[in-house]
Amino acid sequence: MSLPISYSVRNVRARLRRTSLTIAVIALAVVASAVFLALISSLQRTLVSTGSPANLVVLRKGSDNDGSSMLTLEAYQAIRFFDGIARNAEGQPIVSPEMVVQPTVRAVSGTRENVLARGVEPMALVVHDRVRIVAGRMFRPSSGEAVLGAGTVGRYQGARLGEELAFGRRRWRVVGIMEAAGSSFESEVWVDARELASDANRPFPYSGIRLRVAAGADRDALVRRIEDDPRYALEAKPETDYYAEQAKSSRSLYVLLVVLAVPVGIAAGLGAANTMFAAVQARTVEIGTLRALGFSRATILRAFLLESFGVAMVGFAVGAVGTLALAAGIGAVLGDIGFTAATFTTNLVALRVGAGDLAAAFLFAAAIGIIGGLLPAWRAARLRPVEALRKA
Amino acid sequence: MPEPLIALRDVSRVYRRGADDVHALEHVSLTIAGGLFAALMGPSGSGKSTLLNLLSGIDRPSGGDVVVAGKRLNDLSEDALARWRSRHVGLIFQFYNLIPVLSALENVELPLLLTALDRRERLARARLALDVVGLGARAAHAPAELSGGEQQRVAIARAIVTDPDLIIADEPTGDLDARNADQILRLLLELSHELQKTVVMVTHDPRASEWVDIVFHLEKGVLKETYAGGAGKARAPATGGPP
Ligand SMILES: Nc1ncnc2c1ncn2[C@@H]1O[C@H](COP(=O)(O)OP(=O)(O)O)[C@@H](O)[C@H]1O
Ligand SMILES: [Mg+2]
């Protein structure tokens, strides 16, 4: 048996006020790390949820995204009739040739952002079956019309139904708004593929192809057939893999997270150490008494570590509430957050703080408390009872 | 003649303070029989607290032997001493040294946390000890809600709750008014005379010699004088003084 946990808990409670600065700094570390983690995981969630497992992405060999790929009309015409591709009710292959460019668009705030403009044909809505037109209608070919992802509405100048959005060399009339279950299609602008290619001065009409694999078909065989065709140097992969790779590139954000979190964490750790040293100082006689009564050094060490951990947990609780409030506030005031890290185009991400983000921030706070408390607790445990009791 | 509970043989304690040493105790020898109420007296800085610390095993002598209840404390390791203290010694301090965040009852329970007793038994014993000092009704109070005299009674309850052989009190009445001081002295006397505890107390209070069985008088680290106190229960002759 040793000192009860309530001893440490009550000591934390007894000096909450004096510890408030330290608690605030730990809370700050929690907010900083949790919000940033939430941004990264929200971005990854958005990207990963964009892919459909039934779809294949076909790009020029060596291209890791639509934007850097090119594909001839001839290749599209050939691939369309490969075996294993799903067909619609009219017997047409469910294949969507697409042209992707990344023009800059002026935001309402006046800054310029790269947006992903996807030139498509009507089949796009069949391949990307989670994309739904929720207002207005689909654009008509060759008429300078555009359909906007819901995330872009109100973010860019002219990005409203019935208005005109300027990018490339012309203005596009907005005739429809689309939603796609929070995926990154909601950050895109869809226009007619040929119109986009000619506006962007691209020699080929398409960047790549998205296609639906027929139910029960051998997906791997289809992939091999596309990749092994000697006429076109192409590569095909499941759409889910494609977006998972895009999400991977957002891992570079972790470097930023570390750069941000380390100094705040160190400051918080020093704060924790500081208040714990003060506590040991103030309670020297108490420690001497406990040791004189027969409590071991290990017991004292544990009690003070636990106390430091407790202070960190109060900081975590404050920080967690702050994080959730901040995320809600950002959502309400700013709406989606524009991310340009993964694909160079702006991904509009709804910030959602997940349990995993808070769990990581919890571990961070716990580490701050325990590491910060180590030295003071060690000093407390090392106090010699005779000397400590003389401080009375 | 029965084994004395406490036997100090040629005990010295030197504190190293920078370049010069402080000889807090020099060649002190004394014995105290079990069940006695003994007082250590002498001017400030004469080594009384140092001597108490050696008796209770909080500190170790620089030379000589300290034997308490048949155990030579010099031989014990720090941890072994701590365990020994928790079983055999009850400690009372001038400023009570209660733990502020614990209630009176929890303070008294504290030493029992080092035993194998379960929680129910611990609380039962702590309640009993509080009843002994007349504070059963204040069990739930925090130390800050109690008067000085009451806090010292809680401290006495904490000292006796493990049923130790030896109770050590360093100026237990030093911070109390005369009325409360008398109450504490009476309690200590009862512990000694009715419960057969050996009580060794440091005091500056000249009236205290009337309450105790035996008085040891220290001066500048040397045991100058040993004489019977007013309680006159000295069953075994005290021996001491420098050779
Ligand atoms: N831990 C210590 N370090 C250095 N000197 C000490 C220490 N404890 C006591 N002393 C010195 O030893 C002498 C005796 O002290 P103490 O036993 O506390 O006397 P008393 O209790 O009789 O007033 C004093 O001179 C005191 O300053
Ligand atoms: Mg003293």
Side-chain angles (χ1 to χ4, degrees):
Chain A
M1 247 313 196
S2 91
L3 285 170
I5 290 170
S6 64
Y7 168 74
S8 302
V9 171
R10 285 188 216 172
N11 273 305
V12 172
R13 208 169 52 197
R15 43 196 204 87
L16 266 187
R17 189 106 54 91
R18 261 168 302 155
T19 321
S20 55
L21 184 63
T22 297
I23 289 171
V25 178
I26 294 172
L28 187 71
V30 167
V31 171
S33 57
V35 167
F36 209 82
L37 281 170
L39 279 173
I40 296 175
S41 57
S42 297
L43 173 63
Q44 290 184 338
R45 200 168 34 236
T46 301
L47 288 171
V48 167
S49 72
T50 305
S52 157
N55 289 355
L56 285 184
V57 177
V58 182
L59 299 173
R60 187 179 64 177
K61 195 155 270 161
S63 299
D64 54 6
N65 67 70
D66 300 292
S68 65
S69 176
M70 256 192 262
L71 200 103
T72 59
L73 188 61
E74 186 200 347
Y76 160 60
Q77 295 294 7
I79 289 169
R80 270 187 90 197
F81 298 104
F82 280 5
D83 285 340
I85 296 176
R87 291 176 180 255
N88 67 7
E90 289 81 51
Q92 295 166 306
I94 302 180
V95 176
S96 167
E98 302 182 353
M99 155 65 55
V100 167
V101 297
Q102 299 161 354
T104 59
V105 182
R106 196 174 287 281
V108 171
S109 64
T111 59
R112 287 192 157 274
E113 283 182 9
N114 280 93
V115 74
L116 191 145
R118 189 179 297 276
V120 296
E121 292 178 2
M123 197 56 89
L125 285 175
V126 184
V127 173
H128 304 294
D129 54 4
R130 271 190 303 171
V131 174
R132 286 177 308 112
I133 306 287
V134 293
R137 55 170 173 82
M138 187 59 173
F139 63 79
R140 273 192 290 264
S142 308
S143 47
E145 293 176 348
V147 171
L148 303 187
T152 68
V153 173
R155 182 179 182 91
Y156 302 115
Q157 292 181 13
R160 280 186 202 289
L161 200 59
E163 296 184 16
E164 285 190 336
L165 182 69
F167 66 82
R169 288 180 292 171
R170 56 176 298 173
R171 303 170 75 79
W172 309 75
R173 199 146 50 75
V174 179
V175 298
I177 308 295
M178 60 184 172
E179 279 181 5
S183 70
S184 69
F185 289 124
E186 292 188 2
S187 307
E188 299 183 356
V189 176
W190 284 13
V191 296
D192 178 53
R194 282 166 186 283
E195 248 178 339
L196 183 63
S198 80
D199 184 74
N201 237 341
R202 294 290 176 100
F204 298 106
Y206 305 127
S207 309
I209 295 171
R210 305 289 175 99
L211 60 85
R212 170 67 48 88
V213 179
D218 184 345
R219 189 176 73 180
D220 294 340
L222 181 57
V223 167
R224 273 197 305 277
R225 173 128 191 241
I226 294 170
E227 295 193 336
D228 293 349
D229 195 311
R231 291 170 296 174
Y232 326 104
L234 298 176
E235 82 184 62
K237 61 184 104 174
E239 206 177 33
T240 40
D241 291 4
Y242 172 79
Y243 283 103
E245 277 164 31
Q246 306 295 313
K248 234 178 256 167
S249 66
S250 69
R251 282 193 194 151
S252 59
L253 289 172
Y254 284 118
V255 176
L256 223 69
L257 171 67
V258 170
V259 168
L260 180 82
V262 164
V264 186
I266 288 174
L270 289 176
N274 193 49
T275 71
M276 288 313 296
F277 272 126
V280 172
Q281 180 85 18
R283 305 219 308 270
T284 297
V285 175
E286 183 174 317
I287 295 163
T289 305
L290 290 170
R291 296 277 283 120
L293 291 178
F295 288 95
S296 68
R297 290 178 171 192
T299 299
I300 303 294
L301 184 81
R302 208 170 325 121
F304 275 81
L305 266 187
L306 195 62
E307 197 168 315
S308 182
F309 176 78
V311 169
M313 285 306 100
V314 176
F316 169 74
V318 172
V321 170
T323 300
L324 295 175
L326 188 66
I330 288 174
V333 177
L334 297 178
D336 291 346
I337 294 172
F339 252 121
T340 51
T343 51
F344 301 110
T345 58
T346 305
N347 260 293
L348 302 172
V349 172
L351 180 62
R352 223 175 64 208
V353 182
D357 307 320
L358 284 180
F362 173 89
L363 293 180
F364 189 38
I368 287 169
I370 290 172
I371 294 172
L374 218 46
L375 220 56
W378 177 245
R379 176 174 292 183
R382 295 260 326 231
L383 284 174
R384 299 196 54 237
V386 199
E387 316 285 345
L389 285 168
R390 271 168 60 86
K391 295 281 169 2
Chain B
M1 195 174 95
E3 265 290 281
L5 186 87
I6 294 169
L8 265 57
R9 275 189 290 273
D10 202 24
V11 166
S12 298
R13 178 66 170 100
V14 183
Y15 294 111
R16 309 220 168 277
R17 201 152 46 180
D20 41 24
D21 294 343
V22 181
H23 294 263
L25 282 181
E26 294 191 274
H27 306 290
V28 173
S29 297
L30 59 81
T31 59
I32 302 174
L36 282 196
F37 188 7
L40 278 181
M41 302 185 80
S44 180
S46 57
K48 306 181 296 292
S49 295
T50 300
L51 184 54
L52 277 195
N53 289 340
L54 294 176
L55 291 182
S56 60
I58 296 176
D59 194 14
R60 271 190 268 220
S62 312
D65 292 337
V66 177
V67 179
V68 179
K71 197 106 188 158
R72 191 168 173 271
L73 301 188
N74 311 45
D75 300 335
L76 299 181
S77 73
E78 179 106 1
D79 282 347
L81 263 181
R83 268 195 304 278
W84 177 84
R85 274 201 301 276
S86 69
R87 287 199 203 117
H88 297 281
V89 186
L91 290 169
I92 299 166
F93 307 90
Q94 178 176 357
F95 299 108
Y96 334 126
N97 293 19
L98 298 178
I99 310 301
V101 297
L102 301 181
S103 70
L105 185 68
E106 289 165 333
N107 265 285
V108 177
E109 184 199 2
L110 210 49
L112 296 177
L113 294 173
L114 293 161
T115 67
L117 297 178
D118 66 23
R119 186 180 146 78
R120 246 199 31 232
E121 216 164 332
R122 290 199 306 266
L123 290 178
R125 288 207 190 181
R127 282 220 168 74
L128 191 66
L130 270 183
D131 286 339
V132 168
V133 299
L135 287 177
R138 314 297 296 271
H141 287 252
E145 297 164 353
L146 302 174
S147 73
E150 287 169 334
Q151 288 189 55
Q152 194 60 299
R153 278 149 68 198
V154 173
I156 291 174
R158 180 177 68 185
I160 62 174
V161 76
T162 53
D163 197 22
D165 313 308
L166 176 61
I167 288 169
I168 297 280
D170 197 345
E171 303 191 36
T173 61
D175 203 43
L176 300 175
D177 60 29
R179 205 175 57 81
N180 276 304
D182 281 1
Q183 203 173 12
I184 296 300
L185 289 174
R186 184 166 296 115
L187 256 172
L188 293 176
L189 180 72
E190 285 167 9
L191 290 179
S192 160
H193 288 195
E194 285 165 31
L195 300 174
Q196 325 310 327
K197 304 291 174 203
T198 308
V199 180
V200 182
M201 165 182 77
V202 164
T203 182
H204 280 300
D205 187 347
R207 301 172 309 134
S209 59
E210 294 305 310
W211 294 80
V212 299
D213 299 312
I214 185 167
V215 178
F216 297 96
H217 194 88
L218 283 172
E219 249 168 65
K220 294 190 176 145
V222 174
L223 181 56
K224 275 278 189 252
E225 222 185 324
T226 304
Y227 52 90
K233 196 191 150 206
R235 288 174 293 206
T239 59

